[in-house]
Amino acid sequence: MMNRRSIQRVVAGVAAAGLTLGALAACGGESADTASPGTGETGEGTETAAAEEVTITWWHNATSGPLPAVWEKVAKDFEANNPGVTVEQTGYQNEDLQRTLIPNALASGDGPDLFQVWPGGEIRDQVANGYLMALDDAIPDTIAAVGATVNPWQVDGATYGIPFTFGIEGFWYNKDLFEQAGITTPPSTLAELNDAVTKLKAINVAPIAVGAGEKWPAAHWWYQFALHSCSPETLTTGAADFDFTDPCWVDAGTELVDFIASEPFQDGFLGTPAQTGAGSSAGMLANGQAAMELMGHWNAGVVGGLTPDEEVPEFLGWFPFPAIEGSAGDPNAALGGGDGFGCAADAPKQCADLLAYIMSEEVQKEFAASGSGIPTVAAAQDSLEDQNLKAVAEGLSQASFVQLWLDTEYGTTVGNAMNEGIVNVFADNGTPEDIVKRMQDAAATL
Amino acid sequence: MASLTAPGPADTAGSGAAPIRRIRHRHGGTRTWLEIVVFVPPALILFIGFVIVPVVLAAVYSFFNLPAAFRWDMLGSERFIGVDNYTRAFSTPEFRKAIANTFFILFASLLVQGPLAIGIALLLNRRIRGRGVLRLLIFVPYVLAEVIAGLTWKLLLQPNGGVNAVIEGLGLGFLRQNWLADPSIALYTIFFILTWKYIGFAILLMLAGLQGVPKELAEAASIDGASWWQTQRFVTLPLLAPTIRIWAFLSIIGSLQVFDMVWVTVAPTLRQMSTETMATYMVQQGQFAGQPGYGSAIAVILFVISLVIALAYQRLALRRDLAGSVTRGVR
């Protein structure tokens, strides 16, 4: 007869063993291919794909604003037009998706089929690891429709991702506050920008809000100074060979140090978040505490989401980053980036079809009309209704040279080292030379 | 142990003719083996799979220069860089700062939280009105998840948040601070939040320890003319020492691992400036800066530091408390 304690032990032992077995089973439980042979094929069977039961998992970064509804509709319509195909689409917060979810899912070999693909260093790593499907043979027309914008998503001549939106960075500003401060035209040179800062201080608003609590919004300032200090050739060699020996890279930091010294930013900017909450830099612009913010093409939606009525405010305007007088930089160069999708190497072939549908003129027009961003298919750009997006699209079309966000271009390792160096300068804790040295040191570890 | 008189079926089957089973577990053959075979493997597999293997793997990775998109077959000779990751770690000012910050939290916890907890426990151990409620209130923060506590404080400590509003309301406007965004005070703010969160646990431990101090000794002391202070100093505290030593051990371990509170409360830039701990630096470099090899080296350094401190502390301070349980095996 077992006494109580030994019964407890046996129960605990069985539970522990069950737990272990469960864990092991979960590890080894690679389920069989979800695509089962079609059972109900009828008619001529011209389209065998139609009868196949396929599930496409789709991860994107649309979590707020009008975009989630657009993607939901795309998934439903695609399912309706392709019987047997189920599309499971999920939106995740952008940084979680980029830094944690997708890398981990790909490394585990159990990733989504269609997912956000970031150009530059990241797509190069993913292609080197064989994670992505080359799309050139599957959907050539779709790729052609996007034109040169697809270049950052190409590796060694093959296309591994297609951008559905692309835009450039510039100043989002409060027209009312500019008027109050007596600024009649948006600044087109750095001297005019400094002048505007002085005038805005006089009416007691923060001239420029920067979300330097997160590193990238601060880092973008240095990117802009580098873009307008270095010639396009220098920028291209920098990206290709990680060659940062040209003195213009240090000049960019020196210009940034001088600019920060004029105190254009809000108080306590080192702790300010960029895009979330009323206290963020976008929030300060939304509620009139700050007059300008340097931010990407998506910012109108973010600012709109932070106003009391959740509408994009009337006073919001946009102008491109001003030129720097007497520098080697191209005054019409712009810094930008976009969002694109790619298919996993082992995704069902319908994944490319879904991507082609997302990039179709019809969906691109819906995307543009929803105000989510600037579409990449030229024919869809007429559907832009939002004045600010139209301004950004015009800035993009006038740019003589478009440089991808530098941290994206250089990849995680160099990009992160660069951003760390830049925020040190913002905190008065590092030098312009230190930024370049960090980039070179990080590149040496690759 | 099973009772001595009732014969168990497994027993009779196992030791067969053995008539007296008082010392069964010493030479009880089959049953003992059965117990070992059934009960040890699950725990062993879990421990090896989730503790030993990751530690060894981290040690292996730390000798390689690995990219963000890491694959197993990269553990080849061309990526082997010896101890470079370690020399790099110790020559990086940020990491040295992270070590210093971690040890600041460790020593400040011992020096501030310890005396505070003992003092409050001594007060709560007396008969006072509302003692139960007070004990409950003090323990509440410990029950909260660290992320929730961190986010709550993050909101309260914003420039226009609740804390500054209270300070203003008290007419102490000059004390207003940007608590989490000023590099010179952010680490102290973090330490304050950690103290608020974990002091309740320390007090609870001390109260439990105080229950074990015989009242007779305090009575005897007071008959001998000792004041309340003298009684605490010469009677209660020495008897509370084992509890204090155990609490200090838990506090040291917790301090070496501080991660969540810093990660959720402080903006990334500020973290880099002033509040990086060893654990946050490890995650930042290994995961977000795309350098798993370097991050693994940091993990190994953190592991070695924790191991050395834990073993040394067990040997030196906990020796008497643990005698017969951990240090000498089972009996």
Side-chain angles (χ1 to χ4, degrees):
Chain A
M1 181 182 143
M2 283 169 125
N3 66 12
R4 190 131 159 230
R5 223 154 145 188
S6 41
I7 291 172
Q8 279 177 347
R9 279 204 212 159
V10 171
V11 170
V14 169
L19 203 68
T20 318
L21 289 175
L24 292 175
C27 293
E30 287 282 318
S31 60
D33 199 355
T34 44
S36 57
T39 46
E41 276 182 49
T42 50
E44 310 299 310
T46 44
E47 251 188 71
T48 44
E52 256 180 287
E53 290 289 334
V54 174
T55 302
I56 298 175
T57 47
W58 172 17
W59 289 4
H60 54 74
N61 69 351
T63 52
S64 61
L67 193 51
V70 176
W71 291 155
E72 205 179 313
K73 183 170 178 297
V74 166
K76 284 219 178 80
D77 292 350
F78 187 76
E79 281 176 354
N81 295 333
N82 297 269
V85 178
T86 312
V87 179
E88 285 175 0
Q89 55 92 24
T90 322
Y92 295 98
Q93 195 276 330
N94 185 64
E95 276 70 30
D96 289 344
L97 187 68
Q98 179 178 13
R99 302 279 177 226
T100 313
L101 294 168
I102 289 179
N104 289 351
L106 291 176
S108 75
D110 191 22
D113 300 311
L114 181 68
F115 52 93
Q116 205 101 15
V117 173
W118 284 267
E122 250 172 273
I123 199 170
R124 287 196 293 271
D125 282 348
Q126 288 174 354
V127 169
N129 281 352
Y131 291 148
L132 297 176
M133 181 193 285
L135 300 163
D136 302 271
D137 294 334
I139 45 174
D141 299 343
T142 306
I143 295 169
V146 177
T149 317
V150 83
N151 292 353
W153 280 264
Q154 288 176 327
V155 179
D156 299 330
T159 310
Y160 293 93
I162 303 179
F164 57 87
T165 179
F166 197 96
I168 56 172
E169 181 172 77
F171 280 98
W172 297 90
Y173 75 109
N174 185 323
K175 290 176 193 163
D176 298 351
L177 289 179
F178 267 47
E179 203 181 305
Q180 273 182 46
I183 307 164
T184 45
T185 48
S188 62
T189 64
L190 190 59
E192 285 176 31
L193 181 66
N194 285 326
D195 193 39
V197 166
T198 313
K199 285 179 178 165
L200 286 161
K201 275 188 195 167
I203 60 163
N204 274 331
V205 294
I208 305 175
V210 60
E214 287 150 71
K215 294 173 189 175
W216 60 268
H220 278 209
W221 278 89
W222 186 85
Y223 303 171
Q224 290 285 4
F225 280 114
L227 181 74
H228 290 93
S229 302
C230 298
S231 67
E233 294 75 41
T234 312
L235 291 165
T236 314
T237 15
D241 310 329
F242 292 128
D243 173 6
F244 306 114
T245 47
D246 194 292
C248 71
W249 297 104
V250 175
D251 291 347
T254 314
E255 281 153 9
L256 177 60
V257 169
D258 291 346
F259 188 72
I260 295 170
S262 72
E263 298 184 355
F265 301 121
Q266 80 277 18
D267 289 338
F269 56 81
L270 286 178
T272 307
Q275 311 253 281
T276 44
S280 67
S281 53
M284 290 181 74
L285 183 61
N287 58 35
Q289 289 175 330
M292 286 181 263
E293 186 191 13
L294 177 68
M295 190 47 72
H297 49 275
W298 60 81
N299 207 37
V302 178
V303 170
L306 291 169
T307 57
D309 56 0
E310 302 209 349
E311 295 283 331
V312 178
E314 286 287 320
F315 61 68
L316 196 65
W318 186 90
F319 63 91
F321 195 90
I324 298 176
E325 308 89 329
S327 76
D330 184 337
N332 289 322
L335 187 71
D339 285 336
F341 290 126
C343 286
D346 58 354
K349 63 180 189 301
Q350 287 88 343
C351 177
D353 300 338
L354 175 57
L355 181 50
Y357 179 62
I358 291 170
M359 296 305 305
S360 68
E361 208 178 305
E362 172 197 347
V363 174
Q364 280 270 292
K365 276 182 174 164
E366 270 175 54
F367 175 82
S370 76
S372 301
I374 300 160
T376 48
V377 173
Q381 293 199 348
D382 298 341
S383 301
L384 278 175
E385 287 162 18
D386 185 273
Q387 288 305 320
N388 291 304
L389 286 182
K390 277 185 180 168
V392 178
E394 199 189 314
L396 176 61
S397 66
Q398 285 171 0
S400 52
F401 174 80
V402 178
Q403 167 65 51
L404 203 59
W405 313 123
L406 292 184
D407 51 353
T408 310
E409 177 79 58
Y410 300 153
T412 316
T413 308
V414 177
N416 192 77
M418 171 175 65
N419 289 1
E420 284 180 2
I422 297 169
V423 293
N424 274 342
V425 165
F426 266 77
D428 201 9
N429 199 18
T431 62
E433 291 79 13
D434 182 48
I435 300 175
V436 178
K437 184 174 183 307
R438 278 169 185 266
M439 292 163 72
Q440 284 163 337
D441 287 353
T445 70
L446 290 173
Chain B
M1 294 298 108
S3 70
L4 290 175
T5 44
D11 244 6
T12 32
S15 45
I20 302 167
R21 292 170 289 102
R22 186 175 294 130
I23 48 173
R24 184 192 58 203
H25 58 277
R26 287 271 166 91
H27 62 112
T30 319
R31 169 151 184 172
T32 311
W33 277 110
L34 193 71
E35 281 183 5
I36 291 174
V37 169
V38 171
F39 295 126
V40 173
L44 205 61
I45 289 169
L46 286 175
F47 186 71
I48 290 174
F50 291 100
V51 178
I52 303 294
V53 171
V55 169
V56 173
L57 280 181
V60 172
Y61 296 160
S62 70
F63 294 110
F64 289 85
N65 176 30
L66 299 172
F70 157 72
R71 283 191 326 261
W72 291 96
D73 57 13
M74 284 176 176
L75 297 176
S77 52
E78 78 275 17
R79 286 191 174 272
F80 183 81
I81 53 166
V83 294
D84 279 12
N85 280 331
Y86 292 93
T87 49
R88 177 181 161 200
F90 286 113
S91 63
T92 304
E94 275 95 352
F95 181 57
R96 290 207 297 263
K97 178 115 198 238
I99 296 180
N101 286 343
T102 307
F103 278 89
F104 165 78
I105 292 174
L106 193 157
F107 286 114
S109 301
L110 292 179
L111 296 177
V112 175
Q113 291 175 13
L116 203 61
I118 294 168
I120 296 174
L122 287 174
L123 287 177
L124 287 178
N125 205 33
R126 313 168 86 185
R127 283 177 187 282
I128 45 172
R129 194 184 282 269
R131 187 170 71 169
V133 177
L134 280 175
R135 284 184 180 182
L136 182 73
L137 283 178
I138 280 170
F139 196 59
V140 162
Y142 182 70
V143 180
L144 287 178
E146 192 153 322
V147 173
I148 294 172
L151 287 176
T152 310
W153 277 107
K154 182 181 180 175
L155 291 175
L156 286 171
L157 292 167
Q158 290 304 306
N160 297 316
V163 171
N164 276 342
V166 168
I167 290 174
E168 198 102 307
L170 291 173
L172 301 169
F174 61 93
L175 284 178
R176 272 181 69 113
Q177 297 289 343
N178 199 347
W179 301 100
L180 290 166
D182 182 342
S184 59
I185 58 168
L187 186 62
Y188 304 110
T189 310
I190 288 291
F191 175 68
F192 166 80
I193 303 173
L194 286 170
T195 302
W196 171 85
K197 175 103 171 63
Y198 288 103
I199 193 89
F201 178 66
I203 294 169
L204 193 83
L205 270 185
M206 301 300 173
L207 277 172
L210 287 173
Q211 302 299 312
V213 177
K215 288 195 175 56
E216 295 80 3
L217 293 180
E219 278 168 22
S222 71
I223 289 169
D224 285 346
S227 69
W228 186 83
W229 282 109
Q230 284 171 325
T231 314
Q232 306 309 331
R233 169 67 188 82
F234 296 107
V235 178
T236 314
L237 273 186
L239 287 169
L240 194 59
T243 310
I244 297 175
R245 284 195 290 267
I246 286 284
W247 163 79
F249 185 58
L250 295 173
S251 173
I252 289 171
I253 304 258
S255 301
L256 288 172
Q257 296 173 343
V258 167
F259 172 82
D260 324 27
M261 192 60 85
V262 173
W263 195 264
V264 300
T265 315
V266 183
T269 300
L270 253 292
R271 206 172 66 224
Q272 181 188 322
M273 293 301 122
S274 62
T275 65
E276 203 86 89
T277 66
M278 287 195 285
T280 59
Y281 185 75
M282 170 183 79
V283 173
Q284 176 65 33
Q285 297 300 320
Q287 174 86 7
F288 293 89
Q291 307 193 65
Y294 182 56
S296 297
I298 305 292
V300 170
I301 294 170
L302 177 54
F303 173 74
V304 170
I305 290 177
S306 307
L307 189 72
V308 167
I309 290 180
L311 287 182
Y313 192 85
Q314 282 201 347
R315 278 279 151 206
L316 300 175
L318 293 180
R319 203 156 162 191
R320 263 187 311 162
D321 304 332
L322 298 177
S325 59
V326 173
T327 45
R328 308 271 161 77
V330 192
R331 196 150 310 177

